[in-house]
Every structure is written in structure tokens, then in C-alpha cells.
């Protein structure tokens, strides 16, 4: 559960690499680093997640809400939750949602200890978050995602894959490679956690991968 002390939200402990002091510049940095393709990518992520009206959706490592907010426009008010261990990112996300008048439950939490009941969500999505985690946290996070998904629910992970395109090689050079050595290792970790139908979906951008995995019904 998130720690609350005298009404002030505290950052949960995590071994993941959080984004803190530059949270308010994150959206601008994303726009620059993606050469203006961030909005297109975010639309692709939400579309790939296949969210339907009424779905209960969890965005893990939601950052500034770039996917959680559009997800809520489809799933409906009160159906989307976003978690991130960075108070600064959650603060930006809450402000953006309020400005757009979209109701999203943004909470401080880390993937390795999700503060939700078993079988709470139809869809869990994560974008550009897995490469922020060491391998043991990735595995612990996959187990938590499986736990909070309803039977038959699905997990969509979108992230960077280094070396598959020029942009991917540049990304890899700057250290945005995965701690789990390869995409195959991420797929294997999902299967070992008890997900089925772990499958890579087509991506319109060579440096991005989309993985979908189902919790058995
Ligand atoms: C590159 S940002 C991606 C944010 C957002 N999903 C997006 O696509 O714009 C990675 C996020 O992962 C968060 N993060 C780091 N460790 C985490 C953990 N253990 N659990 C959940 N999120 C974590 C960071 O604070 C950061 O907001």
C-alpha cells in the first residue's frame, strides 16, 4: 500500500529507476526524443491494448498519464487506474487529467507490490517502463500483474527494443536496453509466470515492440 504520512504521500521503495526531478519536463522530452511521434505511439499503445467501454484498466508505470488518460476516454470514468512510484510523475498526471476533465485514479505504487485485490482488472498495460526495472523486479512485477488480472484478462507491454533499427541502435547506445537480455527473455519470463498466448504484435515503428500475454481463463 502507498505510505501516507500526515497526509503527505511518500514515494514507495523500489529498485526500479524512477523519474523524479525532471517529471515536469518528461512530456517535452518524449516529444523531442521521439521526433514528434509520441502522440502517434501513445494512440498505437492504447489501440493495441484493445480496451473496450467498461473495461477495468491498470497502467503500471503510468508516468504522466500519456496512455492512462486516453484509456479512460474509452473505458469510461472511474475505470482506469495508473500507478507510478514517482510522486512528481503522479502529480503531473493528476494535473493533466484534471485539466482534461478525465477521471483517472492515479496512485503512488510500485509494480512489485500492487495495492489491489486479486482479479481486479480486465487489462493491464505498461509502456516504456520495463527497461527501468532490474530483472528480479521485472519478474516480481509480472507475478503481480498476473495476480491482479481477472481470469482471461490481458497484459500489453510496449517498450523499446535496441538494435532493430537506427533509432533502436541509438537508444541502445544511450543505455535504454533491457535488463532481461532480449525480447525472447521477456517472453520467456511471462510464460514462466503463468501467462499464455504470449505473442509479439506487429509494430509500425522498428524500435518499438508490443507484447500481449493472457492470464488463463
Ligand atoms: C519512461 S517512463 C514511462 C512513463 C509512461 N508509461 C509513458 O509511456 O510515458 C518509466 C516510468 O516507470 C516508472 N517506474 C520506475 N520504477 C517503477 C516500478 N518499480 N514500478 C512502476 N513504475 C516504475 C518511472 O517512475 C517512470 O515514470
Amino acid at each position: 500500500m502507498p505510505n501516507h504520512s500526515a497526509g503527505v504521500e511518500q514515494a514507495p521503495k523500489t529498485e526500479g529507476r524512477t523519474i523524479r526531478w525532471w517529471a515536469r519536463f518528461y512530456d517535452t522530452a518524449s516529444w523531442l526524443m521521439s521526433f514528434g511521434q509520441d502522440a502517434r505511439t501513445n494512440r498505437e499503445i492504447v489501440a493495441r491494448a484493445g480496451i473496450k467501454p467498461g473495461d477495468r484498466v491498470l497502467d503500471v508505470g503510468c508516468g504522466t498519464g500519456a496512455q492512462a488518460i486516453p484509456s479512460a476516454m474509452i473505458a469510461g470514468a472511474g475505470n482506469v487506474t495508473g500507478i507510478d512510484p514517482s510522486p512528481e510523475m503522479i502529480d503531473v498526471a493528476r494535473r493533466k487529467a484534471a485539466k482534461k476533465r478525465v477521471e483517472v485514479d492515479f496512485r503512488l505504487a510500485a509494480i512489485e507490490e500492487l495495492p489491489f485485490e486479486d482479479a481486479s482488472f480486465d487489462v493491464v498495460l505498461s509502456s516504456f517502463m520495463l527497461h527501468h526495472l532490474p530483472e528480479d523486479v521485472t519478474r516480481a512485477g509480472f507475478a503481480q500483474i498476473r495476480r491482479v488480472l481477472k481470469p482471461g484478462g490481458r497484459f500489453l507491454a510496449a517498450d523499446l527494443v535496441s538494435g532493430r533499427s537506427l533509432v533502436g541502435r541509438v537508444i541502445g547506445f544511450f543505455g535504454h536496453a533491457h535488463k532481461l537480455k532480449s525480447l525472447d527473455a521477456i517472453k520467456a519470463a511471462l510464460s514462466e509466470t503463468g501467462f499464455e498466448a504470449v505473442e509479439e504484435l506487429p509494430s509500425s515503428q522498428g524500435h518499438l515492440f508490443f507484447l500481449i500475454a493472457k492470464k488463463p481463463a
Side-chain angles (χ1 to χ4, degrees):
M1 295 290 287
N3 297 320
H4 297 274
S5 166
V8 178
E9 289 180 285
Q10 304 286 311
K13 284 206 169 68
T14 178
E15 298 296 316
R17 191 157 33 91
T18 53
I19 293 176
R20 302 290 305 265
W21 67 268
W22 60 282
R24 66 202 160 104
F25 307 114
Y26 176 82
D27 286 347
T28 306
S30 292
W31 181 76
L32 287 171
M33 280 158 55
S34 67
F35 302 102
Q37 293 299 302
D38 55 329
R40 169 187 166 200
T41 302
N42 292 334
R43 281 196 299 274
E44 195 169 359
I45 292 166
V46 174
R48 292 277 182 228
I51 297 163
K52 301 185 296 300
D55 275 349
R56 294 273 302 124
V57 179
L58 173 65
D59 184 357
V60 288
C62 64
T64 63
Q67 296 82 29
I69 293 170
S71 296
M73 292 174 177
I74 302 170
N79 282 331
V80 177
T81 301
I83 65 102
D84 200 288
S86 163
E88 293 81 2
M89 291 295 252
I90 289 293
D91 185 52
V92 175
R94 285 176 179 158
R95 284 169 197 268
K96 278 170 61 179
K99 204 167 162 189
K100 290 177 193 278
R101 299 178 188 276
V102 177
E103 191 189 323
V104 181
D105 177 14
F106 285 113
R107 298 195 201 179
L108 269 178
I111 191 174
E112 54 269 48
E113 198 178 343
L114 293 176
F116 307 107
E117 302 284 328
D118 296 358
S120 299
F121 297 97
D122 301 287
V123 180
V124 175
L125 62 93
S126 96
S127 54
F128 306 113
M129 192 271 298
L130 293 178
H131 70 273
H132 281 240
L133 306 179
E135 182 171 341
D136 57 336
V137 177
T138 305
R139 289 179 188 280
F142 287 168
Q144 286 285 298
I145 290 168
R146 188 181 184 282
R147 179 182 69 73
V148 302
L149 271 174
K150 296 178 186 174
R154 61 195 179 282
F155 171 45
L156 178 98
D159 215 316
L160 304 164
V161 61
S162 49
R164 262 204 328 211
S165 64
L166 178 61
V167 180
R169 281 192 285 277
V170 173
I171 287 162
F173 180 77
F174 284 108
H176 277 74
H178 285 273
K179 301 293 183 290
L180 278 168
K181 295 287 180 264
S182 66
L183 197 47
D184 283 343
I186 295 171
K187 286 187 204 166
L190 284 166
S191 298
E192 285 158 20
T193 311
F195 284 95
E196 62 182 22
V198 180
E199 157 185 17
E200 189 180 355
L201 302 176
S203 169
S204 66
Q205 299 171 72
H207 60 286
L208 297 184
F209 72 76
F210 296 96
L211 279 184
I212 192 105
K214 287 197 179 139
K215 177 170 174 172

